């Protein structure tokens, strides 16, 4: 039994061993932050600490648990698949990998084919609906696989360099694309410099929402790709200004760079559309998804690309390899996740729940206008702004005490990431809002009393 393999006498012993054998700094950070969480059981949108404390999960590990923890339909699909498949052999054509690739292409932004009535192929996927389309007439027609978001971003950047024969990459200051080789260089310097992984001559960072800075970075025509989170998550979900992303895409077209949409956190219906970039009228040249596509059950990440951006696949199909990339059990989890996510009733519920939060959070904000200073929201992607540079850490602690797990934004701790699941029930929304209201009030008192964080 798994329990016997992982048993500890007490939480204190477990935390001590975590510091000794796993990650001393991170373990101590959570203890010092007042969030000594060791997650044990998990079910739906609830997680339970090893000492039994129940928390509503509004972090969802960046959307990994969009469908809840251990979603019964995903568990059933993976369990059934395990009777027949395992990770598979990455060198060979595979039933699961091909089926997922076809489903992703048919649901991609700007997909040329619309699903026939009654669903896609044999998978019963309904038509995800309205993608406004874009400049690439044939859309995203090829799929490449990784096992995590960072690997997928690396694949995207490598593909762009191959397609354009250019080396430079432009991203946004305070961006976060993962910690693998190229992805970490594209993100905020905090994580790149520690490992001497920054490459300033190849990777440029421009301020978010600044088209003039983007134009200046691209004007030399030596840029392979601009990579953009559709809403920068780790920076606290600042919303793109109207027309900004479409403007970036136009600049890319003008100066011969590809547009890579990192939808690791914003995709999969979190904004009320399957892919958030569709809402901006942009069909990217490359789109990256991870986290939630796994159904929270088996790691997998995907890169969708146009024929020309994925040109290396016809030139040398062995050029990128990954033993676990596109693992077959992960592909089955992803197929089921995509099918659930594309159900019309799920989309309607996301719109409904988003409205519940707009109303509820505005009501709370009206009570504390000097403390709870702003709400950034696109569907169920939300950043709550507080009037103290570390404000979200105070709120996180009080939420934890009050049965809710939500995390501060690493690159802007004044903003709380607030990411409810897409299958949340109306009653759980109400409970969450009530708990949030209490925690925000208590955190304000902490700040007023000068409590240190
Ligand atoms: C927008 C974005 N891109 C990429 C990644 C990297 O994903 P992973 O941690 O699976 O490598 C993350 C992870 O948080 C992310 O938020």
């Amino acid at each position: 039994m798994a329990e016997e393999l992982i048993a500890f006498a007490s939480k204190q012993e477990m935390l001590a061993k975590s510091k000794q054998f796993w990650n001393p700094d991170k373990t101590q950070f959570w203890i010092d932050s007042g969030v000594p969480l060791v997650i044990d059981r998990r079910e739906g949108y609830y997680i339970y600490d090893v000492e039994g404390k129940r928390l509503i999960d509004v972090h969802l590990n960046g959307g990994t648990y969009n469908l809840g923890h251990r979603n019964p339909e995903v568990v059933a699909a993976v369990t059934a698949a395990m009777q027949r498949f395992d990770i598979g052999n990455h060198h060979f054509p595979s039933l699961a990998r091909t089926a997922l690739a076809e489903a992703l292409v048919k649901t991609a932004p700007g997909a040329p084919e619309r699903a026939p009535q009654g669903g896609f192929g044999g998978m019963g996927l309904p038509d995800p609906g309205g993608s406004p389309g874009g400049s690439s007439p044939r859309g995203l027609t090829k799929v490449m696989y990784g096992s995590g978001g960072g690997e997928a971003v690396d694949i995207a950047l490598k593909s762009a360099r191959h397609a354009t024969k250019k080396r430079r990459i432009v991203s946004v200051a305070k961006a976060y694309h993962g910690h693998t080789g190229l992805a970490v260089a594209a993100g905020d310097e905090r994580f790149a410099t520690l490992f001497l992984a920054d490459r300033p001559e190849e990777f440029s960072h421009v301020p978010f929402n600044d088209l003039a800075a983007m134009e200046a970075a691209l004007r030399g025509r030596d840029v392979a790709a601009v990579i953009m989170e559709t809403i920068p998550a780790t920076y606290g979900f600042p919303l793109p200004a109207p027309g900004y992303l479409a403007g970036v895409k136009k600049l890319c077209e003008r100066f011969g760079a590809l547009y890579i949409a990192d939808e690791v956190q914003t995709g999969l219906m979190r904004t009320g559309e399957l892919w958030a970039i569709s809402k901006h009228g942009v069909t990217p040249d490359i789109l990256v998804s991870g986290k939630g596509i796994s159904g929270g059950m088996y790691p997998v990440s995907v890169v969708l690309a146009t024929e020309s951006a994925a040109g290396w696949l016809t030139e040398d199909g062995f050029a990128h390899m990954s033993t676990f990339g596109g693992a077959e059990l992960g592909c089955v989890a992803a197929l089921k996740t995509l099918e659930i996510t594309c159900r019309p009733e799920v989309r309607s519920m996301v719109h409904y729940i988003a409205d519940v939060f707009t109303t509820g959070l505005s009501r709370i904000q009206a009570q504390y206008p000097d403390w709870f200073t702003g709400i950034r929201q696109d569907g169920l992607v939300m950043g709550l702004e507080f009037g103290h540079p570390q404000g979200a850490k105070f709120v996180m602690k009080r939420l934890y005490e009050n049965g809710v797990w939500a995390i501060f934004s690493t690159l802007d701790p004044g903003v709380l990431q607030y990411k409810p699941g897409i299958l949340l029930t109306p009653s759980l929304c109400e409970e969450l809002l009530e708990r949030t209201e209490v925690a925000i009030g208590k955190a304000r008192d902490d700040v007023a009393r000068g409590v240190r964080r």
Side-chain angles (χ1 to χ4, degrees), residues 40-233:
D40 187 359
R41 210 153 60 77
R42 47 212 91 171
E43 195 90 59
Y45 292 111
Y46 295 122
I47 53 178
Y48 297 83
D49 178 63
V50 286
E51 290 179 329
K53 181 180 176 62
R54 193 199 78 171
L55 297 145
I56 305 171
D57 189 357
V58 198
H59 171 213
L60 303 179
N61 229 342
T64 304
Y65 304 108
N66 276 337
L67 303 182
H69 290 267
R70 298 171 52 250
N71 178 287
E73 290 187 80
V74 180
V75 169
V78 174
T79 306
M82 284 171 82
Q83 310 314 307
R84 183 171 164 199
F85 298 125
D86 49 22
I87 285 166
N89 186 321
H90 64 299
H91 285 305
F92 292 100
S94 133
L95 298 171
R97 266 196 296 279
T98 306
L100 177 59
E102 185 178 2
L104 286 164
V105 165
K106 287 181 171 171
T107 54
E113 289 178 51
R114 291 261 62 86
Q117 205 66 25
F120 288 115
M123 298 174 302
L125 280 175
D127 186 342
S131 299
S135 62
S136 177
R138 300 196 52 217
L140 301 160
T141 48
K142 283 282 184 293
V143 177
M144 304 164 248
Y145 289 109
S147 53
E151 185 186 355
V153 167
D154 275 18
I155 295 170
L157 296 175
K158 293 202 301 188
S159 300
R161 283 178 162 181
H162 173 269
T164 60
K165 307 290 178 259
K166 301 176 187 177
R167 192 176 289 272
R168 275 189 60 221
I169 305 291
V170 174
S171 57
V172 161
K174 304 275 180 202
Y176 186 94
H177 299 289
H179 287 227
T180 48
L182 300 180
V184 80
D188 188 70
E189 62 182 23
R190 168 178 165 191
F191 301 117
T193 47
L194 186 70
F195 298 113
L196 311 186
D198 56 325
R199 308 180 189 186
E201 65 296 344
E202 294 176 27
F203 288 81
S204 313
H205 305 271
V206 298
F208 184 59
N209 271 339
D210 185 340
L211 276 176
M214 186 62 80
E215 180 167 352
L218 295 179
R219 204 175 289 133
R221 295 186 173 273
D222 59 346
V223 172
V226 174
I227 180 165
M228 307 271 310
E229 295 172 77
T230 303
I231 310 173

